[in-house]
Amino acid sequence: MNFLILALITPFIGCGLAYIFRGRLSGIIASIIALITVIFSIFSLYEISFSKIMISYDVSLFKWLNTESIFGLLCDPLTSIMLILITIVGFFVIFYSLGYMSPLNADHAFYQPYGSYYFLMLLFIGAMIGIVTANNFLQVFFFWEITTLCSWALISYTKDKKASFSGLKAFIMTHIGGLCFLVALAIMYTQLQSFDFSCLDLLSTNSKFIVFTLLFFAASAKSAQIPLFTWLPDAMVAPTPVSAYLHAAAMVKAGVYLMARTYISNATLSGNPAFLMGTIAILTMIVSVILYYFQDDLKKLLAYSTIGHLGYILFGVSLGMLGSKTGGMGGVFHIINHGFAKGLLFLSVGAIAYATGSKSIKELKGVSKKFPLFTTCFLAGMFAIVGVPPFSGFWSKFMIFTGAFELKNSITNTFGLLAIFESILAFCWYIFVGHRVFFGEASEKVIKASNNIPFSMNFSLICLLILSVISPLIGYPFVKALFGGY
């Protein structure tokens, strides 16, 4: 548990140091701090050793209301999955930024001071660690709001008019969810004097549905589900490393984590709550995949892909609530498989834009001739996302599909068919985009592109490529332990 405490506090200490030193040194300090956080997180996982035992540690800093404790740390297999994703992707995003945040960036140049950027990135990592190690809903809410502030500031980082508007839009829409979270906390306390993760089981049927709906709406806003999903594509004006972290390991993953934690901690959530979540998830998946076909910007395409895959995770969790262990496992498993693959995709697009100055599907062609590494990384991430075997997305998506038919319920069977239909549509468009951008005669933008790609960017891409391939081997033991073996 000592390592878990160190993993939590290190990014908060580091963000102050990164801000003080400002210049290029701030990026080096941030990278070292992020790497130390990874090490502390990995060491903390040995304390559970893939066991299904939950380790909880309460700190009674002071008494507030009638609750026994308002702060503590929790470490179980679900926390472990999230810690691996949050800290490892966080480190590579910050290390990648050392090269990307440069005046040589052909897409949009960045100049000093960098201190505020690395301050916000480390604060973001710390807040996400705080969310997944919290041992009650109130503590989650505290760190939840910090991620809202970080995302607003980072989306608005370039300070131009479009970025400022997009950052404000993200702040308002996600904060609507935060207000729902706050109301849910108030109901929990007035009825049970508790903020414990398992307190939903103790509520009456009506109160349980109301509290779950409020929590789900908060998660939907954070994870960009219908109707509060339009902020995420607009957030693509942020620097690409920010987009990668938002989509792979932070912010949007906070919402699906909240639902996974609620599901794991409460045995009586089924029926209406599950069908509500499943319906919204499937609608989001279908709408997002249709919008793929209208995108010319590669980052916006990936944004809509993220929206749909967050729907996959929530759909899997809803199946688990309805009694499908396979579906629930698939939903949780998809968190890590999607995370590494989506981080790889975003950083690949960022590298292409760094060299060519463009993210437009129409302007890019023949990228493989000049940038074989970027091509390999993007295609590997693409196959993982669409679920082509043996790539990572196949293993978790297949479990979700199986869970939908395992229940032998006409509604879940229909949802399963719609999920398969979404996967086919996504596969078709990704294949078209991959062929259009990476093969054929090189376009003018690609021919004129610089080959001088910083080491930090290439190194981060190679490491994420490896992690994307092996993520099922990393994540499945924790998923299996979380569900008590399988």
Side-chain angles (χ1 to χ4, degrees):
M1 191 56 68
N2 290 333
F3 286 118
L4 196 61
I5 295 170
L6 290 171
L8 175 60
I9 65 174
T10 299
F12 291 106
I13 295 171
C15 68
L17 293 174
Y19 187 77
I20 290 169
F21 285 98
R22 295 270 173 163
R24 278 287 182 186
L25 184 59
S26 66
I28 296 171
I29 291 170
S31 297
I32 293 170
I33 293 295
L35 181 58
I36 292 171
T37 305
V38 172
I39 294 168
F40 285 150
S41 297
I42 292 173
F43 282 169
S44 72
L45 303 187
Y46 282 104
E47 295 187 87
I48 63 167
S49 301
F50 303 125
S51 74
K52 58 184 178 182
I53 298 172
M54 177 187 295
I55 297 176
S56 185
Y57 179 71
D58 292 322
V59 180
S60 297
L61 297 174
F62 61 91
K63 297 292 183 182
W64 184 64
L65 298 175
N66 291 323
T67 56
E68 293 182 2
S69 174
I70 61 170
F71 181 82
L73 294 176
L74 177 151
C75 190
D76 70 348
L78 179 58
T79 299
S80 302
I81 290 168
M82 297 301 298
L83 275 179
I84 290 168
L85 191 61
I86 290 163
T87 58
I88 292 178
V89 174
F91 165 69
F92 285 118
V93 162
I94 288 177
F95 190 64
Y96 177 97
S97 298
L98 291 178
Y100 181 85
M101 302 291 283
S102 163
L104 300 178
N105 189 325
D107 189 28
H108 42 111
F110 296 93
Y111 300 92
Q112 295 190 27
Y114 300 108
S116 59
Y117 172 82
Y118 292 109
F119 167 84
L120 290 165
M121 288 301 295
L122 285 172
L123 186 63
F124 214 160
I125 292 172
M128 283 301 302
I129 293 173
I131 286 174
V132 302
T133 58
N135 71 346
N136 61 72
F137 282 117
L138 180 64
Q139 191 176 328
V140 169
F141 179 72
F142 176 80
F143 291 106
W144 181 277
E145 292 299 271
I146 296 176
T147 64
T148 300
L149 292 171
C150 290
S151 62
W152 161 65
L154 285 166
I155 293 167
S156 307
Y157 184 77
T158 59
K159 302 296 190 295
D160 59 53
K161 186 176 180 180
K162 187 175 182 181
S164 298
F165 173 79
S166 298
L168 182 61
K169 181 178 180 180
F171 178 82
I172 291 171
M173 294 183 79
T174 54
H175 195 59
I176 291 171
L179 292 174
C180 291
F181 200 157
L182 191 61
V183 174
L185 291 174
I187 296 173
M188 289 178 203
Y189 180 75
T190 55
Q191 297 204 14
L192 301 173
Q193 287 75 54
S194 173
F195 301 111
D196 192 78
F197 287 133
S198 60
C199 70
L200 271 71
D201 275 343
L202 304 176
L203 293 168
S204 66
T205 303
N206 288 337
S207 296
K208 184 186 301 181
F209 181 71
I210 292 169
V211 170
F212 178 85
T213 301
L214 289 167
L215 290 175
F216 175 58
F217 197 76
S220 295
K222 208 75 158 178
S223 295
Q225 300 293 286
I226 287 176
L228 300 175
F229 71 98
T230 58
W231 68 267
L232 193 57
D234 288 349
M236 294 305 95
V237 297
T240 299
V242 173
S243 301
Y245 197 57
L246 273 173
H247 288 251
M251 190 65 171
V252 296
K253 288 295 194 296
V256 294
Y257 168 78
L258 177 64
M259 288 293 96
R261 176 61 67 191
T262 304
Y263 154 54
I264 292 297
S265 302
N266 295 273
T268 60
L269 291 174
S270 60
N272 290 337
F275 283 117
L276 171 67
M277 183 191 293
T279 301
I280 295 296
I282 287 294
L283 285 174
T284 303
M285 288 160 60
I286 297 301
V287 170
S288 66
V289 78
I290 291 171
L291 291 173
Y292 283 18
Y293 287 76
F294 300 93
Q295 305 310 313
D296 179 55
D297 187 297
L298 280 170
K299 281 181 68 176
K300 282 201 171 185
L301 169 62
L302 296 181
Y304 283 109
S305 171
T306 296
I307 292 169
H309 280 270
L310 295 168
Y312 268 105
I313 295 167
L314 292 173
F315 178 47
V317 171
S318 72
L319 293 172
M321 289 166 58
L322 288 169
S324 171
K325 188 175 181 180
T326 306
M329 290 178 72
V332 174
F333 195 20
H334 202 59
I335 292 174
I336 190 168
N337 288 340
H338 170 263
F340 283 126
K342 189 53 64 73
L344 177 65
L345 281 169
F346 266 105
L347 295 188
S348 299
V349 170
I352 293 168
Y354 179 98
T356 65
S358 177
K359 299 182 291 289
S360 170
I361 295 169
K362 292 178 181 176
E363 293 178 352
L364 296 171
K365 193 173 183 181
V367 173
S368 64
K369 296 182 182 299
K370 198 162 188 177
F371 302 106
L373 174 62
F374 303 165
T375 303
T376 302
C377 290
F378 187 94
L379 294 180
M382 178 185 82
F383 288 135
I385 286 296
V386 298
V388 173
F391 292 91
S392 59
F394 165 77
W395 306 103
S396 47
K397 287 177 77 171
F398 185 80
M399 292 175 76
I400 294 170
F401 296 150
T402 302
F405 298 107
E406 182 179 70
L407 292 171
K408 294 180 171 53
N409 177 295
S410 59
I411 296 176
T412 59
N413 289 352
T414 302
F415 285 172
L417 290 172
L418 288 172
I420 292 172
F421 177 66
E422 186 278 344
S423 192
I424 293 169
L425 287 180
F427 174 80
C428 292
W429 187 247
Y430 264 114
I431 289 295
F432 168 78
V433 170
H435 186 268
R436 174 68 178 81
V437 170
F438 294 99
F439 300 102
E441 292 299 318
S443 64
E444 184 179 353
K445 289 270 186 183
V446 174
I447 292 171
K448 293 181 178 179
S450 170
N451 272 316
N452 188 22
I453 308 299
F455 166 78
S456 67
M457 293 173 65
N458 286 332
F459 179 77
S460 298
L461 284 170
I462 291 169
C463 290
L464 279 174
L465 172 62
I466 295 168
L467 287 165
S468 178
V469 172
I470 67 173
S471 67
L473 301 177
I474 297 171
Y476 189 70
F478 290 106
V479 174
K480 187 177 178 180
L482 183 65
F483 287 83
Y486 196 63

